Amino acid sequence: MHRVMILLAALVAAAGDATAATRAEPYTWANVAIGGGGFVTGIEFHPAERGLAYARTDVGGAYRWDAVARRWIPLTDWLGHDDANLMGIESLALDPSDPQRLYLAAGTYTHERAGNGAILRSADRGASFERTDLPFKLGGNELARGNGERLAVDPNDGRVLFLGSRAHGLWRSDDHGARWKRVDAFPALATSESASASNWRRQAIGIVFVAFDPASGQAGAPTPVVYAGVSSREGGLFRSADAGRSWQAVPGQPTGLRPNHMVRDGRGDFLLSYGDEPGPDAMGNGAVWRYSPARGRWTEITPAPQSSDLQGDGFGWGAVAVDASNPDTIVATTFNRWAPGDEVYRSTDGGRSWTPVFARSEFDHSASPWTAQSRPHWLADIEIDPHDPDRVLFVTGYGVWASRDMRALDRGGTVHWAFDDAGLDETVPLDLISPPQGAPLVSGLGDIDGFRHDDLRNTTVQFAAPPRYSNTESLDYAGRQPSLLVRSGHLHGERGDLVRAAYSRDGGNTWTAFAREPQGEGAGKGAGRIAISADGSRVIWHTREGAHWITDNFGGRWQQVRGLPASAVVAADRVEAGLWYGFDPVSGSLYVSGNGGVSFEATAGGVGGIGDWFRGELLPAPDEASVVYFAASWRGLMRWSSKGLERLPGVANAYAAGLGAPKPGHSSPSLFVFGDVGGETGLYRSDDDGRRWVRIDDPRHRFGSVRMLTGDARVHGRVYLATGGRGVIYGEPQE
């Protein structure tokens, strides 16, 4: 209690606006190997160059396939904090006549807080980009994000591109994407919405693909015949015969379903997949059709009928692809077929008959062992390598599967699939800890629970179940017993008996669910934030939309913590078992407990309100009692100790902060901050409690949105970043 009284008596707010001198220190950056984890929304092969392919993701940027290294190379890590909204790729396009050119339609959200989208154009396969800002927003992480491609390059004239938008019609460029003009003649139907989405998620879907008929033109001139598909049940396929100057609905087309993909075969026919909704949230009906322009004929070639024994209203069709060397060979994917599960169907007679592929397949999970606990879903795109018909790639909600011997199916054999996702670690980290013993890193992730990372370079399995969560939202370790961990989370479509908090006594190898959750008024909805005392004897759980609750026997009994507002963030001192801290970002008030977290008292003073959107955390010093750091947004980086509250110099705005192992010969932990130092937003490190800062990121490594970071507890200089969709990144000083 003596330390608590010192804190209460000595607390003062001391501004620290002086700018510390900064310099750059080169770092090496890499992903903590997870192997997938996020929604890859589209893949494109280059038709003229073997081994050249690209992938887009909903929140994790774009990637190029390195056929020699057999891994994906990230292309958009240069996007910084101000451009984080561009990490969602709405569409990508290749120039069929020039393998060097790549175009990305970048923009994650269309809501009012999001910025406008942009066209990122490259003449060197994504090694560098030029940028053209658009006058409207794109929705790379919204409904219909697996449709496509909305962006297309004219195969006869690479200067010409078309872009279909969600709510602003069709756009055209005739200078390699540098300038754009709206095609006013395109029908207003392009602003159609998804009718089944809940009101708060009603989103304009608009134009979901553009496709050219290269045979209608000649090299060096714009292609006359162009198609554009609108996500509409009223007949969404439109055709232009004059290079986009005028448009008409294609006669005889199906109605009642929305087109989502269109591909041309070697005969000049087009194959289209349909769903009643755009996906991926819902799709309960669908079809696959063939359109023969030369005859003006439509023919349904749907692989499998809808079945009444499936969950919900059935399923739709995600995508369709055709072998570039054989127009009779077609593959198509089901979508939203939750039972018995999604499937790839294959035809070798032009769609008259079909064979399910997964029923005669083997999946190799060795590249990412955790995928053995998942099954393919959200099969929004499928592609046949135009240079190797045995190689078929399909996307899922967690990565990319690739076959090596698809034609074995024709011989009565087995198709072998590998998880070709190396380098494409598109996950959303929700919490990271680096305990001083055990694994160097433990991560909580969205959708795929979390991992104990004993080796940062090799993939592994998820946390051992039970319990199994979809999202692990919060992690902590006991400062004096670092093998004792706690976590909280939730399960999509969760069961009523699931306890949404667990503990581990062996550093995350095995887990045990808490005995029960808090009950009654203020119990909340599980998940939320969790913290454990230095000696591991007490846990405080701040449940989502609930109060703070404390237990001394892992959920056998709970009592509500006294003295804290519901919006407060809580942490335990790493050294003194009875000492806890609280910070309320709404009021800016600071709180302290000296009785093991049972009750808290407000200190005299504070930092001023930040807002209820604050998602930061308190960072107790690992080896010194009564010292805690925290990022206070535009109020800077704070150090709270028995000497009072200090704003550390040089940091004008602190979005996130973390602590790491001290520099040899120093006692204070290394400080890492993502924020504004010296007038520039970036990643910085200080080894002397903020007196001097070094910048550790560089123009090629900005990673969009950095949500949180932590230093390694044992390796000086190593830092882990939780990004908005690029997975867990770690950096180390270059030797």
Side-chain angles (χ1 to χ4, degrees):
M1 193 66 184
H2 177 65
R3 292 183 185 274
V4 179
M5 297 307 297
I6 292 177
L7 283 169
L8 289 168
L11 183 64
V12 294
D17 295 327
T19 301
T22 62
R23 60 180 177 84
E25 181 174 329
Y27 260 56
T28 298
W29 299 96
N31 270 97
V32 175
I34 294 170
F39 190 16
V40 180
T41 51
I43 296 172
E44 289 290 313
F45 284 97
H46 198 281
E49 183 172 324
R50 188 181 186 95
L52 182 58
Y54 296 87
R56 60 179 168 96
T57 67
D58 52 3
V59 294
Y63 300 77
R64 183 183 68 247
W65 176 250
D66 184 331
V68 176
R70 297 196 60 80
R71 64 183 298 111
W72 296 94
I73 307 301
L75 303 179
T76 44
D77 284 353
W78 55 274
L79 290 167
H81 176 74
D82 291 341
D83 294 319
N85 186 57
L86 300 184
M87 288 295 286
I89 307 301
E90 178 89 281
S91 185
L92 65 84
L94 315 180
D95 186 338
S97 61
D98 185 354
Q100 297 297 318
R101 290 193 179 271
L102 167 68
Y103 300 89
L104 305 176
T108 310
Y109 296 110
T110 60
H111 58 65
E112 61 183 11
R113 299 186 307 278
N116 285 343
I119 299 297
L120 308 179
R121 55 194 199 278
S122 174
D124 54 13
R125 306 177 186 232
S128 63
F129 285 92
E130 294 181 285
R131 169 176 170 172
T132 297
D133 290 322
L134 296 170
F136 51 84
K137 303 174 191 294
L138 299 176
N141 192 35
E142 295 188 350
L143 297 180
R145 58 191 181 272
N147 293 187
E149 292 288 339
R150 302 171 187 261
L151 183 64
V153 182
D154 191 323
N156 289 311
D157 186 348
R159 298 171 299 176
V160 176
L161 292 88
F162 282 93
L163 171 66
S165 74
R166 289 177 173 263
H168 297 83
L170 184 67
W171 292 70
R172 184 181 189 274
S173 171
D174 59 8
D175 58 0
H176 297 288
R179 292 172 293 184
W180 292 83
K181 184 177 180 180
R182 180 168 175 155
V183 179
D184 293 329
F186 198 81
L189 184 65
T191 60
S192 65
E193 293 182 331
S194 170
S196 71
S198 58
N199 289 334
W200 69 274
R201 291 200 67 181
R202 288 185 69 86
Q203 297 166 355
I205 308 302
I207 302 168
V208 295
F209 61 75
V210 176
F212 292 88
D213 186 348
S216 68
Q218 57 185 0
T223 299
V225 177
V226 190
Y227 294 89
V230 177
S231 184
S232 169
R233 297 183 184 182
E234 301 172 19
L237 185 63
F238 294 85
R239 179 180 184 269
S240 173
D242 53 13
R245 287 186 290 275
S246 63
W247 295 82
Q248 298 80 35
V250 175
Q253 65 181 289
T255 58
L257 295 172
R258 301 167 180 264
N260 54 48
H261 280 82
M262 180 173 179
V263 61
R264 183 179 184 273
D265 70 15
R267 295 191 186 96
D269 289 354
F270 288 89
L271 307 175
L272 294 93
S273 56
Y274 287 84
D276 60 344
E277 286 298 319
D281 289 8
M283 193 179 290
N285 195 5
V288 180
W289 285 79
R290 175 188 296 277
Y291 170 55
S292 303
R295 294 173 290 174
R297 178 185 298 174
W298 287 85
T299 306
E300 185 174 3
I301 58 170
T302 305
Q306 302 296 300
S307 176
S308 60
D309 63 354
L310 298 176
Q311 294 181 3
D313 297 326
F315 59 94
W317 291 89
V320 60
V322 62
D323 187 342
S325 60
N326 183 355
D328 282 333
T329 300
I330 309 167
V331 289
T333 62
T334 67
F335 205 99
N336 202 47
R337 197 176 83 157
W338 297 107
D342 275 313
E343 176 66 273
V344 171
Y345 283 83
R346 184 169 181 267
S347 174
T348 57
D349 57 11
R352 290 185 293 276
S353 63
W354 296 83
T355 300
V357 178
F358 290 171
R360 289 163 51 187
S361 293
E362 291 182 0
F363 290 82
D364 181 358
H365 299 280
S366 59
S368 296
W370 67 267
T371 61
Q373 303 178 46
S374 301
R375 66 178 185 178
H377 67 283
W378 284 9
L379 277 63
D381 193 18
I382 189 167
E383 301 290 337
I384 303 175
D385 188 331
H387 310 281
D388 180 2
D390 273 324
R391 181 169 165 79
V392 178
L393 273 64
F394 71 84
V395 307
T396 80
Y398 60 85
V400 179
W401 285 98
S403 68
R404 70 168 187 261
D405 52 5
M406 178 57 72
R407 288 179 292 185
L409 199 70
D410 306 334
R411 304 185 295 271
T414 300
V415 179
H416 294 87
W417 298 89
F419 195 60
D420 261 359
D421 225 81
L424 212 167
D425 288 289
E426 191 229 349
T427 57
V428 179
L430 303 177
D431 205 0
L432 304 173
I433 58 172
S434 179
Q437 296 177 15
L441 178 71
V442 182
S443 65
L445 303 173
D447 294 332
I448 58 173
D449 202 350
F451 293 82
R452 172 187 161 118
H453 303 277
D454 290 282
D455 185 340
L456 303 177
R457 297 166 296 179
N458 290 319
T459 57
T460 183
V461 295
Q462 295 157 295
F463 292 145
R468 166 65 69 237
Y469 303 136
S470 300
N471 293 7
T472 285
E473 298 191 356
S474 181
L475 287 158
D476 198 16
Y477 67 90
R480 289 174 11 207
Q481 295 189 52
S483 293
L484 178 54
L485 312 182
V486 291
R487 87 186 209 258
S488 62
H490 74 273
L491 183 67
H492 300 328
E494 59 194 17
R495 309 182 313 269
D497 61 344
L498 178 73
V499 177
R500 292 164 289 191
Y503 64 95
S504 171
R505 295 189 181 277
D506 54 14
N509 279 312
T510 60
W511 294 86
T512 302
F514 278 35
R516 62 186 179 92
E517 296 190 10
Q519 304 294 315
E521 184 178 355
K525 298 180 179 179
R529 299 178 188 235
I530 199 163
I532 188 168
S533 63
D535 64 355
S537 64
R538 293 183 178 182
V539 174
I540 292 181
W541 187 9
H542 183 197
T543 57
R544 184 187 299 166
E545 299 182 24
H548 299 80
W549 295 83
I550 188 167
T551 178
D552 61 2
N553 61 352
F554 296 111
R557 55 181 172 268
W558 293 94
Q559 69 183 57
Q560 193 167 332
V561 175
R562 300 191 303 272
L564 280 178
S567 51
V569 179
V570 170
D573 193 271
R574 294 292 189 204
V575 178
E576 281 205 12
L579 188 57
W580 288 74
Y581 310 101
F583 169 59
D584 177 22
V586 176
S587 65
S589 299
L590 297 164
Y591 298 83
V592 66
S593 170
N595 60 4
V598 173
S599 62
F600 284 74
E601 300 177 54
T603 64
V607 300
I610 296 174
D612 58 5
W613 50 265
F614 177 81
R615 293 296 179 268
E617 56 185 331
L618 298 173
L619 306 169
D623 298 315
E624 185 178 2
S626 302
V627 177
V628 62
Y629 301 81
F630 61 99
S633 190
W634 66 88
R635 300 187 184 277
L637 180 63
M638 297 293 179
R639 185 179 188 271
W640 180 18
S641 71
S642 58
K643 298 178 181 178
L645 183 66
E646 307 166 81
R647 178 173 179 172
L648 298 183
V651 183
N653 195 337
Y655 300 106
L659 308 181
K663 185 177 182 179
H666 290 61
S667 58
S668 297
S670 290
L671 305 180
F672 295 93
V673 68
F674 175 65
D676 299 335
V677 176
E680 295 184 358
T681 302
L683 288 162
Y684 297 86
R685 190 192 80 233
S686 174
D687 296 323
D688 55 9
D689 245 359
R691 289 186 290 275
R692 288 179 297 274
W693 294 93
V694 294
R695 184 162 190 176
I696 60 176
D697 61 351
D698 60 71
R700 293 177 59 85
H701 301 96
R702 301 291 194 223
F703 309 116
S705 173
V706 176
R707 301 159 60 94
M708 65 186 68
L709 59 152
T710 185
D712 190 289
R714 285 160 281 182
V715 180
H716 171 256
R718 181 189 289 169
V719 64
Y720 305 100
L721 314 177
T723 66
R726 271 284 286 119
V728 183
I729 305 286
Y730 73 103
E732 297 178 317
Q734 292 183 7
E735 296 181 357

